[in-house]
Structure formats: C-alpha cells, structure tokens
Amino acid sequence: MNVFIIGLGLIGGSMAIDMKAANNDIKIIGFDADQNHMEEALALGFIDEKGVFEDVKNADVVIISIPVNVSIDVTPKVLDIVKDDTLVFDVGSTKVNICSVIENHPKRRNFLATHPIAGTEFSGPKAAIKGLYKDKTNIICEVEKTAFKLQERAFTIFNDLGMRIRYMEPKAHDRHIAYVSHLSHISSFMLGKTVIEKEKNERDIFDMAGSGFESTVRLAKSSPAMWSPIFEHNKENVIETLDEYITNLLRFKQLMEEDDFEAIYKEMAETNRIKEILKGISIKTS
Amino acid sequence: MNVFIIGLGLIGGSMAIDMKAANNDIKIIGFDADQNHMEEALALGFIDEKGVFEDVKNADVVIISIPVNVSIDVTPKVLDIVKDDTLVFDVGSTKVNICSVIENHPKRRNFLATHPIAGTEFSGPKAAIKGLYKDKTNIICEVEKTAFKLQERAFTIFNDLGMRIRYMEPKAHDRHIAYVSHLSHISSFMLGKTVIEKEKNERDIFDMAGSGFESTVRLAKSSPAMWSPIFEHNKENVIETLDEYITNLLRFKQLMEEDDFEAIYKEMAETNRIKEILKGISIKTS
C-alpha cells in the first residue's frame, strides 16, 4: 500500500509510526512545505521517502495533516489528481469548512472527513510518538458521502491505530468541539499570558508554581500555526463559548465582590461533577 | 517526638506518611472535626492514635492542616495551651491573615507560617500519598519571628519530606500565589461549569473530550471546603488577577470578532514562552 502524508508533524508523523508498525507491505511517502521537516521525518524513519506533491497520483491513501486553513486549499487539489480508487482523509480540528469546500468535487466519494481526538502540546516531526491514537476517539463526519470500499480501507487503518469511531454531522462537531477543546486552549493561553505579563519582573515567582498551574497552562505551549486557523475556522462557535466562559468568570468575580462565599462554595461544589465526567474520559483513554 | 496533626486530609495525611517513614521515634496523634476522617486515618495507619484537642498540650510539634478560615480560629487556641518549646506550623494557601492573627500572641515565637506548594485535586484521608512533598517548594513567611531552635526542628521535618525552602513576606506570598495558583483554580472551575452547563443534555459529548480538556479542568475537582475560604482570605489579590484574566479574554474575543487572526497568532506565539517557564517547574519537581 502506497501512503502519501501531507504534513509531517505530530499528527501525521504519529499516524505514520503506527501504520508502519501494523503493516509490512506499506510504503510511506512524506511531503511537507518545510524541507527541514521532510529531512527530519526521513531521519526519524517514519517516512520511507521524501515526495513531491505530484506523487499523490500514485497513492492508495492520502493523509492530509496540515493546519485547517491550508487544508481547505490543498484537499481539492489532491482530489483533482488522485486515482479513482484512492482514499483521501483529513484530520483537522474543524469539519464544516472542509466538508463544504469539497461538497461538489467530482471525487467527493474519495474523501473522508475525520478528527482524531488525540495530540499533545508539542508540534513538528520530533513530536511524533508511538501509540498516540490508541484507545482514542476518531470523529467521522458525513460518512455516507464516502465510497463504501474506501470507508472500509479507512476503518482498517483506524483499527490498526487502535481508535474507536464516532459519527457526527460537521456542524454538531464544530459546535461541541468548541466547548471541549477549543475553549480549553484559549483559557490556557490567556492564563499563561496573564501570569507572564504580571510576573515578568519577578523571575523567582515560578518557584511558587506547582503541578496545578502546570496542568492548567499546559495547552499554552501549543502551536499558534495550528491553532490560529482553527479559531478562525470555528469563529462563531468559539466566540459563543468565550462569551459564556467570560460571563461565568464575571459572575464569580461579582460573588467575590459581594462576599457571597456561600454561593462560590455552591458553584464549585456543583462543578465538582466534572469528576464523574473525567472518570469517563480516563476509562476511555487508559 | 510527639506530633499532633489537626486536619487529616490530603495535606496533613501525606505529611504524616513521610514523617513516619523518616523517623522511628515518632508518635502521631491525629485530630479532625470529622470523626470519620479520624477513623479512616487510623485504619490507613498514618496516625498512631486518635486525639482530643487538649492533647496539643503534650505535643512537640503541632501541624495545622485545615481550611484557612478554620485555621485562623484554631491556631491562636493551639498556641494558648502548647508547651513553651512546642513548634506549631500551619500549611495554608494564604499567609497574610494567619500571620496577622497571631502577630501579638505571647507564643508567637512558637509558630512558623508555611505553605508547601504541593497537592492533588483530591481530598480527605484517602487522598494522602507517599512522597507528595518530595522536591517541592515550601514557602516560609516571617521566619525571623520564630524561635531559632524551633526553626531548626521545622527544617529537619521539611528536609525529611524532601522539600526545598523559599522565604517570602506574607503580602508578597499572597499576591503572587493568586497568579500562579488561585487564578488557575478559578479558570478551571469556570471552564468546567461552562462546558457542563452547555452540554448537560448532550451525554455523548464528553466522548469528544481529550487529554487537553482533562488537563485544563483537572483542578475543578478540588474541594470547595478548602478553596472557598482561600478565595475569601485572598479576596483583593484574586479579584485583581481575575480582572486581568477577563480583560485578556475579552481582548482575545475582540480580535476574533475583528478577524485579526494575525494578532491572535502573535498573542499565542508570545505566550509560548510558558514552555521555558514550565520546563523550570518540571526540572524542579522531577
């Protein structure tokens, strides 16, 4: 099987690692706008060859793992030149725009829209790791629009990676993912910004930071090149989540100003329910 | 050495576990307003006996590990009846009020104000773990107001626990800890609240949540009984950090509304510096 991966960072690279581990008869050609990334991927061994864009013509599977703003340009161009029986799938964190841009493409049935809920705060080929996708959820959108045989090929790959599948409409995906992923990134980035701004002249202050702070600002290490386009492509949903988050913070502040610490206790006690919800995630991912 | 611990939760319990491990000639008497906690602590074996409050009279060391609002009531009463050569220390997350309430106590020199930067999101005796304090920072306030011999006794204990010491004035402690700890807890609680509220009718949504969400809302599992008083006791500083955090979130939202994703990219790229800062924390705690 000839696999062509466009974008050799954490997501594409980690996929390559486990696809190679699961298949003997696989050849992975890697392509990245950044020449250094291609060299690194080759040196790390998760691609077999560096490719040029036109090599997609010979691929059985094309994986598009690049920022969502680039993906909406590149995906139609890939579909333009692939073989009739090539599977093309993307892995972007927003799904409405990509599904819309290829909606009427003659090769729409060659395409599958996916969003593997997996990642770390690191990026680039060196961030690629073994087992990233094991026991994680892969959200598939508009599955009925993909040719049945190519769905099967995709599910074999996702099965090799150890993923479980959930189906969702693109709009529902983008709305909900704004809450459970995109908002977390903004809350983390702005928390990091607030503390760095305040403490820029206080070098020793971070001695005071413990694992709680580390956990809460971890996502502020994420790649702006990946995340800025995600916020752009999911603008309306993200703004809605931000509005609600800010409203909750303003109410918390008001309760503090009114010395209503009973109400604050109650707010926190009610939110403690997140324990049960997170337990669900842990069981799922462990 | 007779040690009397008031408050047998995560913090007091974890201290008991490692103090027992480091010392053969130690007897730990435990006291907790919650009878069940005393039974649990005894069953878990980190206290040797259940005590009554008056047993502080016989203690060489008294550890006060209870919510900060209770601590400011209890600490003077402990100092009232301890022996002349007893060390009393608290471990609360705010330091101005406790230092102020015992400022003129005749036994001020028996008291040491400490804040070990360690913990988990869990609480109660069962949350107590071995090694919680290893390689963590303990912030000591107004060290010069404690009798030299009792400082020495305290540092022997903190050394047994594997902690490193930092000295700080209570006001500076409360101001900075608002940024690197208290604000993180509010951002996490309100994130949890926002998502739970929105998704209460969408049970499957948490299938979409990955490790990023889990990391960012982890602190929303924390104990309201511990945290509500902390916010109350550090009200002014916490409100200031909340103001700045909300301002940053509003600006981020405004940039999104203005479609200025270049500026958003820049904000995130600048905040990526948190990587270096967190690396400092990891080196410290690993």
Side-chain angles (χ1 to χ4, degrees):
Chain A
M1 188 166 69
N2 274 319
V3 177
F4 190 85
I5 302 183
I6 303 178
L8 304 173
L10 163 72
I11 297 299
S14 300
M15 219 163 251
I17 290 170
D18 284 351
M19 286 174 74
K20 281 180 89 74
N23 295 283
N24 289 323
D25 64 335
I26 196 171
K27 183 175 164 187
I28 299 188
I29 320 285
F31 179 74
D32 198 297
D34 184 335
Q35 273 291 337
N36 294 330
H37 281 188
M38 287 207 274
E39 298 297 343
E40 277 176 42
L42 200 61
L44 291 163
F46 65 71
I47 64 170
D48 298 298
E49 283 177 22
K50 296 187 288 178
V52 294
F53 184 77
E54 286 65 31
D55 291 333
V56 294
K57 288 177 186 169
N58 307 315
D60 302 304
V61 176
V62 181
I63 301 174
I64 299 175
S65 46
I66 52 185
V68 291
N69 57 328
V70 192
S71 177
I72 58 164
D73 283 339
V74 167
T75 305
K77 290 175 187 153
V78 168
L79 288 173
D80 286 345
I81 59 172
V82 289
K83 293 182 292 182
D84 282 344
D85 62 348
T86 299
L87 165 70
V88 179
F89 68 88
D90 86 312
V91 294
S93 189
T94 60
K95 297 267 71 84
V96 168
N97 285 356
I98 187 73
C99 286
S100 159
V101 82
I102 48 82
E103 187 180 4
N104 299 312
H105 195 285
K107 292 226 187 74
R108 173 64 186 89
R109 295 185 66 76
N110 293 66
F111 179 74
L112 186 70
T114 85
H115 179 198
I117 310 288
T120 72
E121 65 275 32
F122 306 110
S123 50
K126 285 173 188 155
I129 50 173
K130 191 169 161 270
L132 178 64
Y133 300 103
K134 189 161 163 45
D135 298 322
K136 304 290 167 62
T137 301
N138 198 358
I139 298 171
I140 309 280
C141 292
E142 299 187 336
V143 67
E144 70 288 351
K145 297 192 178 173
T146 306
F148 185 68
K149 263 183 71 171
L150 299 182
Q151 288 178 30
E152 275 190 327
R153 192 180 300 164
F155 294 150
T156 303
I157 292 170
F158 302 145
N159 192 51
D160 286 347
L161 298 175
M163 305 199 83
R164 60 175 203 163
I165 306 298
R166 289 288 178 270
Y167 301 97
M168 200 170 261
E169 279 308 295
K171 273 191 184 171
H173 169 276
D174 285 11
R175 195 168 62 242
H176 293 305
I177 205 75
Y179 281 93
V180 294
S181 166
H182 302 176
L183 178 60
S184 295
H185 283 78
I186 298 174
S187 84
S188 194
F189 266 108
M190 290 303 100
L191 181 67
K193 179 183 156 102
T194 304
V195 176
I196 289 174
E197 273 180 348
K198 188 62 185 185
E199 305 290 10
K200 58 190 165 205
N201 298 319
E202 305 271 358
R203 287 202 284 173
D204 291 343
I205 287 326
F206 292 98
D207 273 3
M208 297 177 75
S211 59
F213 179 70
E214 185 165 13
S215 170
T216 328
V217 299
R218 181 170 72 84
L219 298 179
K221 301 187 222 171
S222 304
S223 156
M226 172 177 167
W227 280 96
S228 181
I230 289 173
F231 298 138
E232 188 172 356
H233 280 244
N234 204 16
K235 179 179 160 180
E236 279 175 40
N237 289 314
V238 171
I239 285 175
E240 188 190 308
T241 67
L242 258 177
D243 264 334
E244 292 170 18
Y245 184 50
I246 292 166
T247 301
N248 283 328
L249 287 163
L250 284 168
R251 171 164 159 78
F252 194 95
K253 196 186 94 168
Q254 195 193 339
L255 291 174
M256 283 191 68
E257 284 165 344
E258 292 166 355
D259 287 313
D260 191 351
F261 289 93
E262 262 183 58
I264 280 180
Y265 180 99
K266 214 170 142 238
E267 293 259 297
M268 291 194 284
E270 279 164 11
T271 305
N272 274 170
R273 284 201 297 127
I274 202 81
K275 277 182 205 174
E276 301 312 313
I277 293 164
L278 290 177
K279 206 175 281 175
I281 300 177
S282 294
I283 289 163
K284 190 184 79 191
T285 59
S286 66
Chain B
M1 190 166 69
N2 274 319
V3 177
F4 190 85
I5 302 184
I6 303 178
L8 304 173
L10 163 71
I11 297 299
S14 299
M15 219 163 250
I17 290 170
D18 285 351
M19 285 174 74
K20 280 181 89 75
N23 294 283
N24 289 323
D25 63 336
I26 196 171
K27 183 175 166 188
I28 300 188
I29 320 285
F31 178 74
D32 198 296
D34 183 336
Q35 273 290 337
N36 293 329
H37 281 189
M38 287 207 275
E39 297 297 343
E40 278 176 42
L42 200 61
L44 291 162
F46 64 70
I47 65 169
D48 298 297
E49 283 177 23
K50 298 187 285 177
V52 293
F53 184 76
E54 285 64 32
D55 290 333
V56 295
K57 287 179 186 168
N58 307 315
D60 301 304
V61 175
V62 180
I63 301 174
I64 299 174
S65 46
I66 52 184
V68 292
N69 58 326
V70 193
S71 177
I72 58 163
D73 282 340
V74 167
T75 305
K77 289 175 187 153
V78 168
L79 288 172
D80 286 347
I81 58 171
V82 290
K83 291 183 292 181
D84 281 346
D85 63 346
T86 299
L87 165 70
V88 178
F89 68 89
D90 87 312
V91 294
S93 190
T94 59
K95 297 268 71 88
V96 168
N97 285 357
I98 187 71
C99 287
S100 159
V101 82
I102 48 82
E103 187 180 4
N104 298 311
H105 195 285
K107 291 226 187 73
R108 172 65 186 88
R109 294 184 68 76
N110 292 66
F111 179 73
L112 185 69
T114 85
H115 178 199
I117 310 289
T120 73
E121 65 275 33
F122 304 111
S123 49
K126 286 173 186 154
I129 50 175
K130 192 168 158 270
L132 178 65
Y133 300 103
K134 189 162 162 43
D135 298 323
K136 304 291 167 60
T137 301
N138 199 357
I139 298 172
I140 308 279
C141 292
E142 300 188 335
V143 67
E144 70 287 351
K145 297 192 177 171
T146 306
F148 184 68
K149 263 183 71 171
L150 299 181
Q151 288 177 31
E152 276 190 326
R153 191 180 300 165
F155 294 151
T156 303
I157 292 170
F158 302 144
N159 191 53
D160 286 346
L161 299 174
M163 306 199 83
R164 60 177 203 159
I165 305 298
R166 289 289 179 271
Y167 300 97
M168 199 170 263
E169 280 306 297
K171 275 191 184 171
H173 169 277
D174 285 10
R175 197 168 61 241
H176 293 306
I177 205 75
Y179 281 93
V180 295
S181 166
H182 301 175
L183 179 59
S184 295
H185 282 78
I186 297 174
S187 83
S188 194
F189 266 109
M190 291 302 100
L191 182 67
K193 179 184 158 102
T194 304
V195 177
I196 288 174
E197 274 180 349
K198 189 63 185 185
E199 305 290 12
K200 58 190 162 203
N201 299 319
E202 305 272 358
R203 286 201 283 174
D204 291 343
I205 287 323
F206 292 98
D207 273 3
M208 299 176 74
S211 60
F213 178 69
E214 185 165 14
S215 169
T216 329
V217 297
R218 180 170 71 84
L219 298 180
K221 301 188 224 171
S222 304
S223 155
M226 174 177 165
W227 280 96
S228 179
I230 289 173
F231 298 139
E232 187 172 357
H233 280 244
N234 204 15
K235 178 179 161 181
E236 280 176 37
N237 288 313
V238 170
I239 285 176
E240 188 190 308
T241 68
L242 257 178
D243 264 333
E244 291 170 18
Y245 184 50
I246 293 167
T247 301
N248 283 328
L249 287 163
L250 285 168
R251 173 166 158 76
F252 194 95
K253 197 186 92 169
Q254 193 193 340
L255 291 174
M256 283 191 68
E257 283 165 345
E258 292 166 356
D259 286 314
D260 191 351
F261 290 94
E262 263 183 57
I264 280 179
Y265 180 100
K266 215 171 141 238
E267 293 259 300
M268 290 193 285
E270 279 165 9
T271 306
N272 273 170
R273 285 201 296 125
I274 203 82
K275 277 181 206 173
E276 301 312 314
I277 292 164
L278 291 177
K279 206 176 280 173
I281 299 177
S282 296
I283 290 165
K284 189 183 80 193
T285 58
S286 66

